[in-house]
Amino acid sequence: MALKMVKGSIDRMFDKNLQDLVRGIRNHKEDEAKYISQCIDEIKQELKQDNIAVKANAVCKLTYLQMLGYDISWAAFNIIEVMSASKFTFKRIGYLAASQCFHEGTDVIMLTTNQIRKDLSSPSQYDTGVALTGLSCFVTPDLARDLANDIMTLMSHTKPYIRKKAVLIMYKVFLKYPESLRPAFPRLKEKLEDPDPGVQSAAVNVICELARRNPKNYLSLAPLFFKLMTSSTNNWVLIKIIKLFGALTPLEPRLGKKLIEPLTNLIHSTSAMSLLYECVNTVIAVLISLSSGMPNHSASIQLCVQKLRILIEDSDQNLKYLGLLAMSKILRTHPKSVQAHKDLVLQCLDDKDESIRLRALDLLYGMVSKKNLVEIVKKLMSHVDKAEGTTYRDELLTKIIDICSQCNYQHITNFQWYISVLVELTRLEGTRHGHLIAAQMLDVAIRVKAIRKFAVSQMSALLDSAHLVASSTQRNGICEVLYAAAWICGEFSEHLQEPHQTLEAMLRPKVTTLPGHIQAVYVQNVVKLYASILQQKEQAAEPEAAQEVTQLMVDRLPQFVQSADLEVQERASCILQLVKHIQKLQAKDVPVAEEVSALFAGELNPVAPKAQKKVPVPEGLDLDAWINEPPSDSESEDEKPKAIFHDEEQRQAKQRQPEADEEELARRREARKQEQANNPFYIKSSPSPQKRYQDVPGVEHIPVVQIDLSVPLKVPGMPMSDQYVKLEEERRHRQRLERDKKRKKKKDKDKKGKPRRHGSLHTESDDDLAPAQQVDIVTEEMPENALPSDEDDKDPNDPYRALDIDLDKPLADSEKLPVQKHRNAETSKSPEKEDVPVVEKKVKKPKKKDKKHREKEREKKEKGKEARVEKEGEDLDFWLSTTPLPAAAPAPEEPGVNAVITAPKEEDEEPQREEQGDEEDDEDNERDPEKKSSKHKKKKHKKEKEERSKDKKKSKKKKPPGDEAAEPVENGALDEEPLPVRAHVQLLPPGREFLH
Amino acid sequence: MIKFFLMVNKQGQTRLSKYYEHVEINKRTLLETEVIKSCLSRSSEQCSFIEFKDFKLIYRQYAALFIVVGVNDTENEMAIYEFIHNFVEVLDEYFSRVIMFNLDKVHIILDEMVLNGCIVETNRARILAPLLILDKMSES
């Protein structure tokens, strides 16, 4: 054996260590892969040896290789071997490797349970620490279940180093094993008041993360957190707490009211940008949660906006970015306050940094109003031309569309202008967002009836110049707009000035190079157009002209029949047959126009995007039931080859089909209507009010559209949206003049007239501005009995759903965490059992404490299971209704930010560090006296607490005012070490200052 | 929550990586390449925060070394930005020699500072305490 050891250490001398490996890789730049595979072979040899030192070295190297992207999962078992080494130096290498490469899929991980348990209860805090750290990376549901109790016990360990880690790991345990949350929660809550700031911070972190996902379960902790917030001096903790409050306030507006003051104080006093940023964010969240009818809060908003303006004006790009980010949150609820800083935002649009420009764009979204929309979009359009990268340009494009279409186009006063903007955007080369533009064109044309005529004229121009759009940009998305253009021209063909020209444009051979789905729309709409031309010609009694058009169709349609796209082919051949039939009838001088246009009678109405989903399932219908017997496997295999033949058969079948005469068509149409009427799934047109008008003859119900004739309906050629800027200004000017006149008549000499004389747009309020056209924006349709709920947004796979657990409910016995059977519960609670004799004195104490704790718990349970739940609610109510504690922070009137920023950086961390350092010393050197005394105190406190809690229960209703005051006394730790006054916050930020 | 912590050199080689949520090994390489690319493509006049897929990147450059932290969208960017510097200061205090050969120790430091994706310790003395004890152990 000894010989083996010696042999091992000799071998060891010739092995590469990590340093050699790193050097080696550097020296083999040209054949790195080869060198590494050679090294891996060596490592495999090393892992076969018995010497643990050699193995650890090998695993250490593997960890490095894993970082470079090499899979080392094959060494999982060796990693576990090294993890179980008794020497800490090796053990930590094992755990490091495990934390880097183990995951839920690692099968050997179940072998680690006992090893980890052993390490968790090791007398050395570093063994425990390394096990906890590792566990945080690779904990599985099984490990979580088996070790939950051990880790929970460690949360009350004597050493803050362990407590801190144990508390944090619990978060992962909760995620993997949600059943552990309720039993562990009381202890976690206790840790919020741990004497050690590190443990406290860990508990805050965990609860913060939990509460972020399921805030309502943590509302009862608000008073405790409030206390922490007003007493803590650690900015990291403050940030977390304030973030937590941000998640809680939406549920409890009263909490928000209480928070405003301390938060504004912090905003005034802190010099740490991170904290300031967090405070601003939470204040925003608070203000969102409060109803807007609180005039005194406009001061807080102003404060936030002011602070953010300072950030945005800073030369530091990071601050600028964050300022804009936070500003966009304010924008959602208080657009007016942000709009005042439009200049600043527009300025940021010219920033060198794309991220900042994008943030500024976000802000613009909320800054537009009826009066400045045109101006802002004009600016954006000029940016579009200048933009160098396609990503940024695409972003601009989407933003323009977002800005214009927001809130049902509420800011658009002139839709002609908007259509012109859209048409201009089609000239963008290489954009991916053609479909967005197309969707807008369709939406506007369908829903704004007054604009159809203009839209059609623009779209026909677009179709005419389609070669510009389609040729240069084969593969990019802009040709999508032709989809919209073709549809609009077809559907609203009655508005076309020169339908024949458009028809020709749509039948050009070039069209066949467009993507299939666009061609299909072309084909379909060509017929609509054809129908309206026929009608026109017949009415004008020009049968020759009508026959010419038919001939054109018969000549051109075959190019689509040959299309490789199934949809195009099918539609084209169907239509070709129809047209040929019409041709025959025309030859016999039969009037056909009426019947052809009847094919497209009726109006298509916009349907809300979610309408389909909202159709309620009729009673007694099981959507999951099979209609036919499920196909056997063999059939489904055949399916693919079949489809190929299918295609041909279909075509033949189509040609063979007897040509349906008009009567037949009419009959079918009737039948279809009948069928639709009986079909419960068909969205019927009658019941929804906005649709009713089309069924009723007559015009009274159609909203009257007044078109301001000062805007030309047809702008020659492609319109420049800029024209409208001028027109718009003129129009407004006229409006103003009229108003002024009226006002003079009324002898109204208020001061508003003054700024108006400058012609400044800013002084006008939105309401003053009459739109250029009275437009009726048709709302999208929803089915009858649509379900109002929006449940579809919830993700059923969200892991945090399982953690949505009522934490106030008393714990049932069945919920207790499983305790390992082979050791009794008592020992597992005190991991220091095997501790060195020196510390033995302490060992028993935690046990006692635990016992007491449990007794207390039991007592509580017996006394008032129900009452407790209620009490917490009441306490919260009471706490919320009282005025906030006077914040300890003496907020300096003039936030001495500058002064503090220049403060020497050492000072920032120093005071805190010294204090913490002392603590550390206490523990390491003279732990006994210190510990004892604190223990005693704790014991006393426990007793007091017990008594008090009894008292409390008796006189719940009378006493609550004392609660607030009593709590700090209860917490011995706070008394022992008076924390620095709040003013120190300025000196202890993790602020950026200390970094420079 | 911190999702991952990367140290990368200017050539785009990963020098240290730590993931707080499991990511497949081949996806890691891919992710790292993308992350590095987006950091390297930025100039010094640009801000240190990048919106990247469904999370945020916060990075700082120290000479030829980039430190990149990926966080979820609720994290305070500025705090992480400070944290990176804090981390570098600790490294600075402890290492006199090249860090590259002592990666495992960098891991120890990082593990003391970040656990489970949360920042747990920012005090230099406390962070280094276990490491110093370890050094003493190996010396004796």
Side-chain angles (χ1 to χ4, degrees), chain B residues 52 57 62 69 94 115 137:
Chain B
F52 187 83
L57 299 177
Y62 293 90
V69 183
Y94 180 77
L115 189 64
M137 265 165 69

Side-chain angles (χ1 to χ4, degrees), chain A residues 931-979:
Chain A
K931 275 281 129 91
K932 253 186 203 165
S933 69
S934 86
K935 279 280 141 55
H936 278 306
K937 273 181 195 166
K938 260 183 209 159
K939 244 162 103 183
K940 229 168 41 191
H941 286 306
K942 276 276 139 71
K943 263 185 203 159
E944 280 172 20
K945 211 176 182 178
E946 254 180 70
E947 282 163 16
R948 201 170 294 124
S949 68
K950 280 178 204 164
D951 282 353
K952 245 193 257 172
K953 265 163 225 153
K954 277 180 206 153
S955 56
K956 217 188 311 163
K957 290 227 166 115
K958 282 178 229 157
K959 227 194 162 183
D963 263 6
E964 196 81 66
E967 267 174 309
V969 191
E970 272 179 42
N971 192 328
L974 285 177
D975 285 81
E976 281 161 33
E977 309 162 36
L979 286 168

Side-chain angles (χ1 to χ4, degrees), chain A residues 92 100 103 126 161 168 171-172 212 243 274 278 317-318 321 353 355 359 913 916 990 992 995, chain B residues 1 17 20 22 42 45-48 51 74 76 82 85 104 112 116 120-123 133-134:
Chain A
R92 89 183 160 78
Q100 293 288 80
H103 55 92
Y126 293 112
Y161 180 79
L168 277 163
Y171 175 66
K172 278 278 165 75
R212 204 161 56 78
K243 195 187 284 297
S274 45
E278 202 59 56
Q317 298 287 72
N318 293 326
Y321 175 88
D353 185 353
S355 329
R359 289 280 75 81
R913 195 197 306 168
Q916 289 165 344
R992 48 202 284 272
L995 305 175
Chain B
M1 293 280 252
S17 67
Y20 296 97
H22 177 67
R42 291 171 76 88
E45 6 178 83
Q46 294 190 281
C47 67
S48 307
E51 277 154 64
T74 55
N76 183 318
E82 312 303 354
H85 194 76
D104 51 334
E112 286 303 314
N116 222 359
V120 281
E121 193 56 80
T122 48
N123 176 295
I133 290 173
L134 194 71

